[in-house]
Amino acid sequence: MAASGLRALVGVKRVIDYAVKVRVKPDKTGVVTDGVKHSMNPFCEIAVEEAVRLKEKKLVSEVIVVSCGPQQCQETIRTALAMGADRGMHVEIPPKDYENLGPFQVAKILAALAKKEGVNLVLLGKQAIDDDCNQTGQMTAALLDWPQGTFASEVTVDGEHLTVEREIDGGLETVQLKLPAVVTADLRLNEPRYATLPNIMKAKKKKIDVMKASDLGVELTSRVKVLSVEDPPQREAGVKVESVDALVAKLKESGHI
Amino acid sequence: MSGIGLLLLRATRASLPAGARCLRTGRPCPAFAKELFMGKIETKDVFPFPEISNEELKEMNQFVGPVEKFFSEEVDSKKIDQDAKIPPETLNGLKNLGLFGMQIPEEYGGLGLSNTMYARLGEIISLDGSIGVTLAAHQAIGLKGILIAGTEEQKEKYLPKLASGEHIAAFCLTEPGSGSDSASIQSRAILSEDGKNFILNGSKIWISNGGIADVFTVFARTEVVDEDGDVKDKITAFIVERAFGGITHGKPEDKLGIRGSNTCEVHFENTQVPIENVVGEVGGGFKVAMNILNSGRFSMGSACAGMIKKLIEMTAEYACTRKQFNKKLSDFELIQEKFALLAQKAYVMESMAYLTAGMMDRPGVPDCSIEAAMVKVFSSEGAWTCVSEALQILGGLGYMKDYPYERYLRDCRILLIFEGTNEILRMYIALTGMQYAGKILTDKIKAIKRGHAGLALEMFWSRFRDSLGRKVDLGLVGKDGVVHSSLQESGKKLEENIYYFGFNVEGLLRRFGKTIVDEQLILKRVADILINLYAMTAVISRASRSISIGLRNHDHEVMLANLFCTEAYFKNNYAITELDKYAPENMDESIKRVAKQVLEKRAYVCSHPLERTF
């Protein structure tokens, strides 16, 4: 298999924008999303950027982006197309199912699409900033029975192999994967470009296929139930102490030492 | 009757420019505001509130994301202000994003945005005053001449490089001796002997982008031979490339605000400009200049609204956390009042800006110059008030350079000055409308003189009915009205104000005749009423739409709309009453006398309070 024949599937998730102050719904079933600014998950942006760079280096011949969720996900797909992806796929999830859509369901969809499209590289963000699950990439690799390179900070294509530098506790680990493979992007992999306005205009012509999970034979029932979503406890004001002795006394008093 | 008729005739004739004839020559698509001078409201122009298609909305949302991200992550406004320079990498980022060619059609490499979409991006771009002004000087005025009056060849030659930002444009009108009175410029262009070039000489001052621009739209006097063979001096617009030679510029001006934008003198010394580079017709430059300026002003509304919305977010965070007297600032009514003001002003500005942009985007060539001028006056003054109040919320902190408020305050001060000072624009708003009203009234009088008895009767009858206290109904409210029922009260207030304003106008024309053009204190009130009427119309129309289609938080909108309309109604009534009064009663006489004495002495006149005479 020639490297230039690589085809990449990139997952992009629409999440509440990182700059938004998230509010918990009064009934504690989740967070307020209505009328809140959404954008592409930053780690997914990094994954798209990496795929587009590989394409610019002629190591990848086609970049397909996919997003699972409500109608508005197409905006996220459009952003990826403006960044340089070739075409999009929108797996439309009804609002009811979307509430329970977790990494497992998304992994099943991604795996089914990877097979259907015959891609040999699945690029994902390491996690989404809304649920912080950090599972989709791993699960997708398992479902496909492909090797995985997670938390990637560098990816090099080397014939039929990928060399992935991974960010691990206290350092970097370099692994070699045999293609096809799943890679998830960490923060330092690259700095994603802006979707420029002229490119957004051009991306209008790019195609987005819309499908349902059932079209891919994927079942969306979830075995996970959210019991409660709550605000983190409010940080209380600190106290200033006069001396080291006072500090030690305070710490002892509060049971910290 | 004849007495009144004569007076009216005198008045209406006087309000027309010299030489103009009172002939009805096919109305040039009069936009909404002019009808208000007749005491009428053209509801179809402003109801329902203009919408964009779903397609456009989607596209817009796509555009907004990256631009917002760029401004929050890559733009360091504090540094731009301190260094008085936009760093090249920031400028490059703006170019790459496509922000240098927003309204240039796609076939010339631009984004081809409608006025509405341009206004939307303006909300974000204004978050940095220096960048906002640099971009506006480039495309709202610098290259606008080529866009609206250029030939196909000129467009093909210049627009692509301007759209990409490879070339930057500037607009050169103002001169040391010619500010608001732009018809008095002295720069001169003389046709060369071979007739192929104009030789341009002159100095321009306060040119935004003057030091960095590659392409200038320059206005200069040229000799034009008219039909009778007389040689006259007329203004002509030229596209001048820096590469033509003979162009120098002064060092960047050290300014109060928008410090990162480049403003300097530009000198032309025997610059050779090919005749192909005349924009529009030789001698038609003044019109080109006015069209350019008129077409750009509307965007100040959304720009200011964008800024205020940002200020609300910043100050609300502070007000909800800062405690004094064991209470959060947000619990104090005097602080709450400020937030209500900020929200209300932002709402009105947005409504006016998008109503105007929507009207400008309609097919045909709607003349929205009065509307745009009103948006500019209202939003520039609103922005100044709002920024000052936002700063006040932070108290002493707001005054510190560590916080952005003082910079916003300095940056937005220019808005009341440039693109036509608010004083000049108020006169423009009032006189254009007065002229229109005058013309229609003259036509009526003429018809009556020709023996159109019906019309005379109609005028007499309506006057008679009004003297009996007629109920005003302009079709806004009620069962068949265009205003939503939650806004009926505001609708009625607007109708009443419009109706009596129409009387005011007629009365003024009758009273002052020719001299109305010099009655600036009166014209100012006329302009202020009109601005309020337009603002009321805009919020009522917008809020009506929001309720009807069930937009999120529409009840908040209704509150803001009703709040504004009530305030504006009282202000209008006050002004209308004052306009009915003669000078001694309305203080105008005293104001003028005080000013006269001060100016004669060129100093404060009163004795010092500590002085003694005994």
Side-chain angles (χ1 to χ4, degrees):
Chain A
M1 173 186 55
S4 64
L6 276 184
R7 296 172 69 235
L9 179 72
V10 185
V12 292
K13 185 174 184 184
R14 176 177 179 269
V15 297
I16 293 181
D17 190 83
Y18 72 93
V20 170
K21 210 174 164 195
V22 177
R23 283 168 200 275
V24 174
K25 280 190 204 162
D27 64 2
K28 295 186 176 177
T29 55
V31 296
V32 179
T33 54
D34 249 17
V36 171
K37 185 183 169 195
H38 283 69
S39 48
M40 192 192 297
N41 175 38
F43 292 109
C44 299
E45 263 186 323
I46 297 172
V48 173
E49 176 67 32
E50 195 62 20
V52 172
R53 284 188 192 183
L54 289 173
K55 196 192 163 195
E56 284 166 352
K57 286 186 206 147
K58 306 229 181 311
L59 296 168
V60 160
S61 61
E62 189 184 25
V63 177
I64 309 163
V65 286
V66 56
S67 189
C68 313
Q71 171 73 27
Q72 295 95 313
C73 287
Q74 290 193 14
E75 285 174 24
T76 312
I77 297 173
R78 290 266 166 229
T79 305
L81 295 178
M83 287 172 73
D86 296 295
R87 64 187 168 96
M89 284 191 297
H90 175 211
V91 183
E92 203 166 2
I93 313 285
K96 189 89 197 78
D97 292 333
Y98 190 58
E99 282 172 24
N100 303 317
L101 196 76
F104 185 49
Q105 290 75 23
V106 175
K108 284 199 284 187
I109 292 172
L110 292 177
L113 274 176
K115 276 187 204 150
K116 184 176 166 233
E117 293 290 333
V119 300
N120 25 32
L121 175 61
V122 174
L123 258 166
L124 305 171
K126 71 165 180 180
Q127 69 190 60
I129 60 166
D130 51 0
D131 56 18
D132 279 342
C133 281
N134 187 343
Q135 295 167 8
T136 309
Q138 294 86 332
M139 287 179 174
T140 310
L143 288 167
L144 287 165
D145 199 16
W146 289 2
Q148 55 181 293
T150 50
F151 312 109
S153 64
E154 199 182 322
V155 175
T156 13
V157 181
D158 177 16
E160 285 181 25
H161 293 90
L162 277 187
T163 307
V164 177
E165 197 179 270
R166 304 181 60 234
E167 300 214 3
I168 55 170
D169 279 352
L172 296 169
E173 178 189 56
T174 308
V175 294
Q176 197 183 50
L177 318 175
K178 193 170 182 323
L179 287 164
V182 176
V183 172
T184 70
D186 210 324
L187 190 66
R188 276 161 284 268
L189 179 57
N190 59 49
E191 253 187 69
R193 69 195 66 190
Y194 282 87
T196 68
L197 276 44
N199 284 338
I200 291 172
M201 305 274 282
K202 283 176 207 145
K204 276 197 290 186
K205 295 193 193 84
K206 294 181 181 174
K207 213 173 76 182
I208 298 180
D209 288 320
V210 184
M211 63 198 78
K212 291 194 197 71
S214 56
D215 298 342
L216 300 164
V218 173
E219 229 270 306
L220 292 178
T221 46
S222 171
R223 277 168 240 164
V224 178
K225 199 171 139 198
V226 174
L227 297 179
S228 174
V229 176
E230 277 165 57
D231 275 314
Q234 272 223 321
R235 229 185 114 200
E236 307 221 337
V239 279
K240 270 191 183 166
V241 289
E242 294 294 327
S243 62
V244 176
D245 289 343
L247 175 66
V248 173
K250 280 266 177 209
L251 287 173
K252 275 190 175 150
E253 193 185 306
S254 61
H256 282 90
I257 48 173
Chain B
M1 181 70 229
S2 71
I4 292 173
L6 257 178
L7 271 169
L8 250 175
L9 194 65
R10 201 192 81 202
T12 47
R13 208 186 275 149
S15 64
L16 294 170
R21 276 176 293 175
C22 300
L23 275 176
R24 190 184 286 239
T25 51
R27 287 195 297 180
C29 200
F32 167 77
K34 288 180 182 171
E35 286 300 318
L36 295 175
F37 281 84
M38 304 302 298
K40 289 186 215 151
I41 178 162
E42 201 61 67
T43 45
K44 69 167 175 23
D45 286 340
V46 285
F47 288 92
F49 198 76
E51 287 182 338
I52 57 173
S53 69
N54 274 324
E55 272 310 290
E56 282 175 301
L57 181 63
K58 261 190 206 153
E59 201 178 335
M60 199 64 250
N61 289 339
Q62 288 274 293
F63 288 163
V64 165
V67 180
E68 269 183 350
K69 195 171 161 202
F70 184 84
F71 273 80
S72 69
E73 287 176 9
E74 313 278 332
V75 174
D76 184 348
S77 295
K78 188 173 179 193
K79 189 169 166 16
I80 291 175
D81 182 58
Q82 257 168 9
D83 301 354
K85 192 176 190 305
I86 304 170
E89 56 276 18
T90 309
L91 269 184
N92 275 336
L94 295 164
K95 289 173 185 175
N96 289 337
L97 272 177
L99 296 180
F100 275 71
M102 287 188 272
Q103 290 204 281
I104 294 176
E106 282 178 74
E107 63 258 42
Y108 304 113
L111 298 173
L113 297 189
S114 64
N115 290 308
T116 306
M117 292 165 97
Y118 178 72
R120 176 66 186 91
L121 291 185
E123 286 186 35
I124 312 164
I125 290 161
S126 65
L127 295 181
D128 184 278
S130 297
I131 292 177
V133 168
T134 302
L135 289 178
H138 169 74
Q139 55 202 319
I141 49 177
L143 61 79
K144 203 59 161 291
I146 305 177
L147 211 54
I148 59 181
T151 61
E152 194 47 47
E153 290 74 31
Q154 289 169 346
K155 288 181 183 172
E156 263 167 31
K157 184 168 177 198
Y158 292 106
L159 291 182
K161 281 186 179 171
L162 290 167
S164 67
E166 187 183 336
H167 282 172
I168 293 178
F171 179 83
C172 303
L173 179 63
T174 304
E175 296 182 4
S178 163
S180 293
D181 179 11
S182 47
S184 68
I185 55 169
Q186 294 302 319
S187 293
R188 186 165 286 282
I190 298 169
L191 198 60
S192 65
E193 275 173 23
D194 60 6
K196 287 182 180 159
N197 291 294
F198 276 96
I199 315 296
L200 175 66
N201 278 290
S203 290
K204 301 287 184 179
I205 57 164
W206 301 334
I207 304 307
S208 297
N209 297 348
I212 55 173
D214 310 276
V215 177
F216 303 85
T217 304
V218 185
F219 296 86
R221 301 198 153 269
T222 47
E223 285 185 349
V224 178
V225 183
D226 69 7
E227 289 163 5
D228 308 328
D230 297 335
V231 177
K232 276 198 175 152
D233 245 4
K234 281 195 162 178
I235 294 172
T236 301
F238 300 93
I239 308 168
V240 182
E241 298 174 32
R242 192 179 283 275
F244 288 167
I247 304 177
T248 50
H249 59 85
K251 64 174 200 296
E253 304 284 353
D254 193 6
K255 306 186 291 288
L256 172 73
I258 54 164
R259 295 178 52 79
S261 70
N262 174 287
T263 314
C264 57
E265 293 175 13
V266 178
H267 307 282
F268 300 92
E269 202 184 336
N270 293 326
T271 302
Q272 301 225 1
V273 186
I275 52 166
E276 308 85 87
N277 278 28
V278 168
V279 186
E281 284 171 19
V282 174
F286 189 70
K287 208 173 134 195
V288 173
M290 291 307 114
N291 283 343
I292 292 171
L293 291 170
N294 287 341
S295 70
R297 288 194 189 104
F298 76 96
S299 64
M300 206 182 278
S302 64
C304 292
M307 191 174 68
I308 298 171
K309 287 191 274 185
K310 179 85 182 172
L311 286 173
I312 291 177
E313 284 174 23
M314 297 185 330
T315 49
E317 189 62 42
Y318 180 80
C320 294
T321 43
R322 165 85 173 170
K323 278 188 175 172
Q324 286 290 282
F325 307 105
N326 250 334
K327 260 164 97 174
K328 284 185 203 143
L329 289 195
S330 56
D331 290 333
F332 291 100
E333 286 180 2
L334 288 186
I335 299 294
Q336 291 167 0
E337 187 190 26
K338 294 184 197 305
F339 283 97
L341 176 88
L342 295 179
Q344 189 210 78
K345 291 269 185 203
Y347 186 71
V348 181
M349 284 176 203
E350 265 180 355
S351 310
M352 290 174 88
Y354 286 101
L355 175 62
T356 310
M359 289 203 283
M360 289 171 73
D361 283 334
R362 280 182 198 148
V365 195
D367 172 16
C368 295
S369 56
I370 304 187
E371 286 82 356
M374 292 195 285
V375 173
K376 193 268 183 185
V377 172
F378 185 92
S379 51
S380 58
E381 289 171 8
W384 175 245
T385 317
C386 287
V387 176
S388 178
E389 287 291 354
L391 185 151
Q392 187 79 12
I393 292 169
L394 274 89
L397 285 183
Y399 201 70
M400 298 297 136
K401 284 230 172 202
D402 279 342
Y403 288 78
Y405 304 95
E406 61 85 30
R407 188 187 68 240
Y408 274 110
L409 194 76
R410 285 185 286 111
D411 281 354
C412 82
R413 187 59 183 81
I414 189 63
L415 301 176
L416 294 83
I417 302 171
F418 70 4
E419 296 215 30
T421 65
N422 286 9
E423 286 73 16
I424 284 287
L425 288 180
R426 279 199 164 85
M427 295 304 106
Y428 172 73
I429 292 162
L431 283 173
T432 315
M434 287 296 222
Q435 181 183 332
Y436 175 75
K439 191 171 160 182
I440 299 223
L441 289 172
T442 317
D443 287 349
K444 271 195 185 170
I445 304 290
K446 275 194 175 167
I448 292 167
K449 282 203 162 171
R450 277 198 307 270
H452 195 314
L455 205 56
L457 204 64
E458 185 199 307
M459 283 177 84
F460 173 74
W461 182 234
S462 80
R463 195 146 285 267
F464 176 68
R465 268 185 313 184
D466 289 324
S467 68
L468 297 178
R470 175 163 79 137
K471 241 182 106 197
V472 182
D473 179 11
L474 303 176
L476 286 180
V477 295
K479 190 159 56 66
D480 303 317
V482 282
V483 173
H484 190 273
S485 52
S486 309
L487 295 148
Q488 291 290 305
E489 282 308 310
S490 294
K492 277 185 206 155
K493 290 186 174 103
L494 174 60
E495 279 190 335
E496 193 192 313
N497 276 169
I498 292 173
Y499 187 73
Y500 288 105
F501 176 63
F503 269 119
N504 261 171
V505 170
E506 204 183 315
L508 290 171
L509 285 172
R510 218 177 309 132
R511 210 164 93 203
F512 289 101
K514 201 172 197 162
T515 59
I516 187 76
V517 289
D518 297 320
E519 296 289 338
Q520 296 202 333
L521 293 177
I522 288 187
L523 290 172
K524 182 186 174 208
R525 290 193 194 100
V526 169
D528 284 340
I529 296 173
L530 196 74
I531 293 170
N532 277 335
L533 294 180
Y534 187 50
M536 289 163 91
T537 309
V539 294
I540 291 174
S541 172
R542 174 177 170 196
S544 289
R545 168 183 179 266
S546 301
I547 311 168
S548 306
I549 64 169
L551 275 188
R552 189 178 303 113
N553 301 334
H554 57 74
D555 44 344
H556 188 76
E557 287 190 39
V558 173
M559 228 155 43
L560 290 176
N562 284 333
L563 184 61
F564 173 75
C565 286
T566 310
E567 275 181 25
Y569 172 74
F570 289 123
K571 281 186 195 154
N572 281 344
N573 277 343
Y574 182 70
I576 286 171
T577 317
E578 289 227 299
L579 283 178
D580 271 340
K581 289 181 183 161
Y582 283 75
E585 292 172 76
N586 62 14
M587 292 182 295
D588 287 2
E589 211 46 58
S590 311
I591 292 170
K592 284 190 260 189
R593 266 214 307 275
V594 169
K596 199 171 163 223
Q597 290 178 7
V598 169
L599 290 167
E600 264 166 12
K601 214 182 156 202
R602 300 202 176 188
Y604 180 59
V605 178
C606 310
S607 303
H608 194 277
L610 299 181
E611 207 136 286
R612 304 180 53 136
T613 53
F614 52 90

